[in-house]
Amino acid sequence: MEYDHSVCSTRLVLGLSLNSSSSSSTVKLNTTCSTNQPSTALDHKCVIPSFEPSLTLALLSNHSDHGFLHRDKSFSNMSLKRERDVGSDESERVLSGVTSVDDVEDDDDCVNGRKKLRLTKSQSALLEEAFKHHSSLNPKQKQELARELKLRPRQVEVWFQNRRARTKLKQTEMNFEHLKKCCEKLTDENQRLQTELQELKALKRSPPFYMQLPAATLTMCPSCERIGDAKPSVVKSTYNMAAKPHFFNPFTNPSAAC
DNA sequence: TCTCCTCCGCGCTTTACTTCA
DNA sequence: GATGAAGTAAAGCGCGGAGGA
């Protein structure tokens, strides 16, 4: 990601939009410059995985004796949903081949007792590598990765969710820093322009330079040093020159801001 | 076309664990 | 070495959108 800071001017339109949907998640920064420069857009796209076939088991196992299911005394929608998750995990475990006694013990530790799972360095590295290729996994990729890492697919899924969240947060922080710098530069530029405007106003209020000179000196043009015939329309005074002053044109001059 | 259901991703939050003063 | 605050990351929860029946 790179920004072209050289093309923006004082009239800068900055838009930060965060769009999310189930099919994609987009973090977009549009930096539109008044000089009709192309905008820069930063996109982080997540691709929706395709349909995942899975089994849904009813809540009949010992899972109800442990962990989060305790929280739901009633047969609410939430409990139904958790049941679905548990059922999904069960089916995924079968599909991913994680059926050993050790695996089950691990599950009891990290899910029901909510003991924190810490991924090993090799597991993290492999997940990072996979994330480089796909920020989102389809069911098949998830199953394969889970089998490779000896994790439950749900854990792989959660890792990718958290990883996407971290990426998005980092991107947002970067966008914020960029906008902050732009704002600071625009503030400085605004201050400079205000000062320039005050100077020009003061200059306009003061009497023209040629009126402060003795009449004899008016015969010579201060600009071209040509002796004039004292006709005011011919004389090029410094004031007349200043009548067409150089103004900072934000549309033609590069801004200090961006 | 509408409704229901399921799946999935996301935002927000909780919590276990680590690091550091 | 003990301890508490702060930080980090795995996981929980609820919501909404998409899509199929």
Side-chain angles (χ1 to χ4, degrees):
Chain A
M1 169 194 50
E2 290 181 358
Y3 296 98
D4 186 357
H5 292 183
S6 65
V7 297
C8 300
S9 67
T10 48
R11 284 179 37 160
L12 188 68
V13 180
L14 299 170
L16 175 63
S17 64
L18 301 173
N19 303 321
S20 66
S21 69
S22 62
S23 59
S24 69
S25 175
T26 303
V27 179
K28 180 178 286 184
L29 169 70
N30 288 329
T31 310
T32 305
C33 302
S34 61
T35 48
N36 295 325
Q37 297 292 337
S39 64
T40 58
L42 308 170
D43 287 339
H44 169 63
K45 285 273 187 184
C46 301
V47 180
I48 187 174
S50 57
F51 175 71
E52 174 186 11
S54 65
L55 300 172
T56 301
L57 303 180
L59 179 62
L60 296 173
S61 68
N62 291 334
H63 283 95
S64 59
D65 295 335
H66 307 284
F68 50 79
L69 289 177
H70 275 175
R71 299 176 191 174
D72 303 309
K73 307 278 186 184
S74 64
F75 201 68
S76 63
N77 287 337
M78 192 173 79
S79 63
L80 279 172
K81 180 169 184 172
R82 290 306 106 198
E83 287 160 24
R84 191 186 67 221
D85 287 350
V86 170
S88 179
D89 266 0
E90 289 288 347
S91 61
E92 284 172 340
R93 185 181 299 143
V94 172
L95 290 170
S96 63
V98 184
T99 55
S100 70
V101 174
D102 287 345
D103 289 333
V104 172
E105 284 176 353
D106 285 345
D107 288 350
D108 286 344
D109 282 347
C110 68
V111 176
N112 297 330
R114 198 177 163 117
K115 185 177 179 180
K116 199 77 160 193
L117 166 79
R118 282 292 171 181
L119 300 173
T120 64
K121 285 186 178 180
S122 60
Q123 283 174 323
S124 295
L126 197 54
L127 286 164
E128 284 288 348
E129 193 62 30
F131 187 80
K132 281 181 188 174
H133 293 96
H134 308 283
S135 62
S136 223
L137 294 175
N138 63 36
K140 191 177 179 182
Q141 290 171 324
K142 185 167 65 174
Q143 295 286 348
E144 287 178 1
L145 202 52
R147 188 159 42 232
E148 199 171 347
L149 294 167
K150 291 184 166 57
L151 294 171
R152 283 173 293 122
R154 170 67 182 161
Q155 289 175 302
V156 174
E157 181 183 314
V158 166
W159 186 91
F160 268 76
Q161 277 181 10
N162 286 322
R163 185 67 179 78
R164 283 193 293 269
R166 285 196 292 272
T167 300
K168 188 172 184 178
L169 180 64
K170 205 169 184 176
Q171 183 65 65
T172 302
E173 286 173 354
M174 289 173 67
N175 292 345
F176 172 76
E177 285 303 318
H178 172 64
L179 292 174
K180 192 176 165 187
K181 283 179 184 173
C182 281
C183 182
E184 288 169 356
K185 288 182 178 179
L186 285 171
T187 302
D188 290 347
E189 193 163 303
N190 183 50
Q191 183 64 44
R192 186 181 64 75
L193 289 172
Q194 292 285 350
T195 305
E196 189 175 321
L197 182 62
Q198 292 300 320
E199 289 173 359
L200 289 171
K201 281 181 178 176
L203 194 61
K204 189 177 180 182
R205 276 197 297 271
S206 64
F209 176 69
Y210 67 85
M211 290 182 65
Q212 299 172 9
L213 298 175
T217 62
L218 291 176
T219 56
M220 180 179 290
C221 174
S223 177
C224 60
E225 296 183 354
R226 184 163 55 86
I227 303 299
D229 58 1
K231 287 182 180 177
S233 61
V234 176
V235 174
K236 288 185 178 178
S237 71
T238 55
Y239 179 74
N240 285 337
M241 290 174 67
K244 194 177 180 183
H246 166 71
F247 285 109
F248 178 79
N249 186 345
F251 295 93
T252 58
N253 294 286
S255 166
C258 298

